[in-house]
Amino acid sequence: YVLDQRAIEWRSSMHIVLLVLDADAVAPAGIASGKGFWNGDYDLCMSLKVDNKVFNYTEYNDDRIPIRDVSLHANFKAQYYRVIILALDGFTITFGVCAPDSCKASDVHQMLNDGETSFGVISVENPTSGRGLIKDDPGAIVALCIISIFVAIVLGATAMDIFYITPKRKQHEKEAEIYKETTSKVNHAYDEHGTQATSFTSKNQPNGVYYTEKVSNEANHTYTTLNQEKVLDEVNHVYTTLHLNDARKEYASTNGVTNGSVKNVTPGAKKEDAATNGISNGNVKIVTANVPLPSHKPKPYSPGVGIQIILAFSVYSNLPQLMSVDAPKGSYLALNCIRFLSMAYIILGHTFQLGIYLGDMGVSLENYHFWMYPEYYGKYHNRALTNMQLAVDSFFLLSGFLVAISFLKTLDRQGGRLQLKQMGLYFFHRFWRLTPVYMILIMFLATLFKYTGDGPLWPLRMNEVEGCRMHWWTNLLYINNLYIPGPLCMGWAWYLANDMQFYIAAPVFVFALYKKPVVGYILTGLSFLGSIIAISVLHAQGKGDFVQDYIKPYTRIGPYIIGIWLGYFIWRTKA
């Protein structure tokens, strides 16, 4: 059939409405097996906008008889809402609803609860509410300024390194290489009387030649062939060697030296044509600019302290070092393999664990209740994944091992004595190596992170962000695993806190092992045994959770103690 003009206009005006409905979530297959997260089309919903359009349509009664014509004026943007409803047996379903932005979350809640069919709505959230704009957030502006300053310093330091420091360093390296060449050649140059030369021709001096073989005084022989040897391909640094030729004196070669280069001419020319700076009457003359021979090796370029501080931010200098696979002498290369395997193991386990549950949102993804516990945690063959957190202990072991080895070697160098300066540097170096970058990350998380994303899964309330805004100082002091006044800031940073606390305590254990091994073994053994007892008691009391057990130093020090024992054994046996 043929649509009339009115029907075409109606379909065109209703197109935006259909798109809004299309962005709503629809029920997928597999609900009974636990599929409880229906996103809908977030991007489509947030892109829809109606600018002053009039929707014309006709209302009909139940018998499809027209009642009246209606004109609806619309001007709105679409807004995505995340709805959580209660299903059977405590199972929740989360789905997306696309509605005009004139609707509040409470309106959507009322619409779903008060309609002909009640959905048992638990909550309705606008994932974009409360974000605001960066320009209205003083904390975010300050953070951007600080980060911009660091970026500017990095760019400036890199530019200075490339265009100023590196050329000067290469120039000094070239001078050192020239010196190396001249010490083997110029220092053996001779003048016409057979004495050693005392001067050389510097760069950019014309007609500069060193003859590096002593002249023969045979009457009927002369040196007619000049063999050119260039050092570093420098045009104005020419070193020549004279070789004996049986040609008679009257057939001496013309050996013109022009602009620092040597021109070889066949020995067919007569004596009177010989150049004054070449061979004359069997004598060799050195053309020189009267510059003294180098008396010492040029020192490598060493910029001042201020320049070195700036260069610490240079990408040009630091990137090759960061990407280098070279290891200093005495390194334990096998540790890199342990680090890699442990890191891969931890990432694999967290991919399963955290990819299923969104803790900050308080909602689960598909099949959480139906798969996580009965399948993932319940089946024996998954034990390798569900116990992946034990791989963290390998890092504690490595840390204890390296600290023990380093500290014992230092004690050896110092005759078994502790020095105040050495201990101060021991603690300061660890704090300074970790803390600046650590604090920058916390600042970013507390101020800017919430502006970095959006979507149906983007959390409305970020516990990590709130924890960093309120309790960042506990991370600065590395006590965030002991003092927890509220939400954790960067909850995964519990490892840094433990490692710092073990690092502070390690000198007591290692010094005791060095001075009195029996005392050292008693101290470390009691600490190891105490850790096992603490873990057992906490689990017996039902407190074996993340906060009370998993992140505490008295439950995690065991592997660190084993690392100290291993380091002491390797040092003692000189393995």
Side-chain angles (χ1 to χ4, degrees), residues 399-419 422-427 503-515 560 564 567-568 571:
S399 182
F401 168 76
L402 293 172
V403 168
I405 283 284
S406 175
F407 204 84
L408 288 166
K409 290 181 178 179
T410 301
L411 287 173
D412 263 348
R413 290 194 302 268
Q414 297 175 172
R417 296 186 303 273
L418 291 178
Q419 297 179 1
Q422 176 249 330
M423 292 305 301
L425 290 175
Y426 171 85
F427 294 118
Y503 186 83
I504 293 172
V508 176
F509 299 131
V510 179
F511 188 73
L513 286 169
Y514 184 90
K515 286 292 188 179
Y560 199 90
I564 290 177
Y568 178 74
W571 170 81

Side-chain angles (χ1 to χ4, degrees), residues 8 61-62 89 91 128 134 176 211 235 280 285 393 414 489 530 540:
I8 294 175
N61 61 16
D62 294 340
D89 299 325
F91 176 58
T128 62
I134 291 181
Y211 297 110
V235 173
S280 177
K285 295 181 179 179
D393 288 338
Q414 297 175 172
C489 170

Side-chain angles (χ1 to χ4, degrees), residues 258-316:
T258 306
N259 294 329
S261 61
V262 177
K263 295 182 178 179
N264 294 331
V265 183
T266 57
K270 293 184 178 182
K271 172 182 173 183
E272 54 267 22
D273 296 324
T276 57
N277 63 345
I279 298 172
S280 177
N281 297 323
N283 295 324
V284 177
K285 295 181 179 179
I286 297 179
V287 181
T288 177
N290 295 322
V291 180
L293 284 169
S295 59
H296 60 277
K297 184 177 180 180
K299 294 181 179 180
Y301 176 66
S302 179
V305 176
I307 297 296
Q308 292 183 35
I309 293 174
I310 294 175
L311 290 180
F313 295 90
S314 170
V315 176
Y316 183 77

Side-chain angles (χ1 to χ4, degrees), residues 135-326:
K135 66 182 183 66
D136 299 324
D137 188 342
I141 293 174
V142 171
L144 281 176
C145 291
I146 293 174
I147 293 173
S148 299
I149 290 172
F150 276 106
V151 170
I153 292 174
V154 168
L155 294 177
T158 303
M160 177 181 286
D161 192 2
I162 294 174
F163 299 109
Y164 177 72
I165 302 300
T166 298
K168 287 184 72 67
R169 185 181 292 115
K170 288 182 177 180
Q171 179 182 348
H172 279 251
E173 291 173 355
K174 184 180 296 183
E175 290 175 357
E177 191 168 349
I178 290 174
Y179 172 82
K180 182 179 179 181
E181 293 289 336
T182 59
T183 53
S184 62
K185 292 185 177 182
V186 177
N187 287 347
H188 296 87
Y190 296 90
D191 63 14
E192 59 181 319
H193 301 296
T195 58
Q196 190 171 4
T198 58
S199 58
F200 73 102
T201 301
S202 62
K203 188 175 181 180
N204 296 325
Q205 295 293 333
N207 303 328
V209 179
Y210 296 115
Y211 297 110
T212 59
E213 289 188 5
K214 195 173 182 180
V215 147
S216 170
N217 291 322
E218 294 185 30
N220 294 322
H221 295 84
T222 187
Y223 293 97
T224 59
T225 303
L226 286 172
N227 291 330
Q228 175 178 301
E229 295 180 8
K230 288 189 177 181
V231 175
L232 294 179
D233 202 26
E234 286 290 329
V235 173
N236 292 313
H237 287 273
V238 181
Y239 303 93
T240 61
T241 301
L242 295 175
H243 296 286
L244 182 65
N245 191 309
D246 287 332
R248 290 179 358 194
K249 184 159 119 180
E250 57 266 25
Y251 293 107
S253 175
T254 301
N255 302 292
V257 180
T258 306
N259 294 329
S261 61
V262 177
K263 295 182 178 179
N264 294 331
V265 183
T266 57
K270 293 184 178 182
K271 172 182 173 183
E272 54 267 22
D273 296 324
T276 57
N277 63 345
I279 298 172
S280 177
N281 297 323
N283 295 324
V284 177
K285 295 181 179 179
I286 297 179
V287 181
T288 177
N290 295 322
V291 180
L293 284 169
S295 59
H296 60 277
K297 184 177 180 180
K299 294 181 179 180
Y301 176 66
S302 179
V305 176
I307 297 296
Q308 292 183 35
I309 293 174
I310 294 175
L311 290 180
F313 295 90
S314 170
V315 176
Y316 183 77
S317 290
N318 288 301
L319 189 61
Q321 298 181 45
L322 292 174
M323 302 300 293
S324 174
V325 295
D326 296 332

Side-chain angles (χ1 to χ4, degrees), residues 538-557:
L538 287 171
H539 280 261
Q541 295 176 349
K543 298 179 179 179
D545 55 26
F546 181 79
V547 173
Q548 299 180 85
D549 170 31
Y550 189 76
I551 66 175
K552 297 302 183 185
Y554 43 78
T555 62
R556 305 307 300 247
I557 197 173

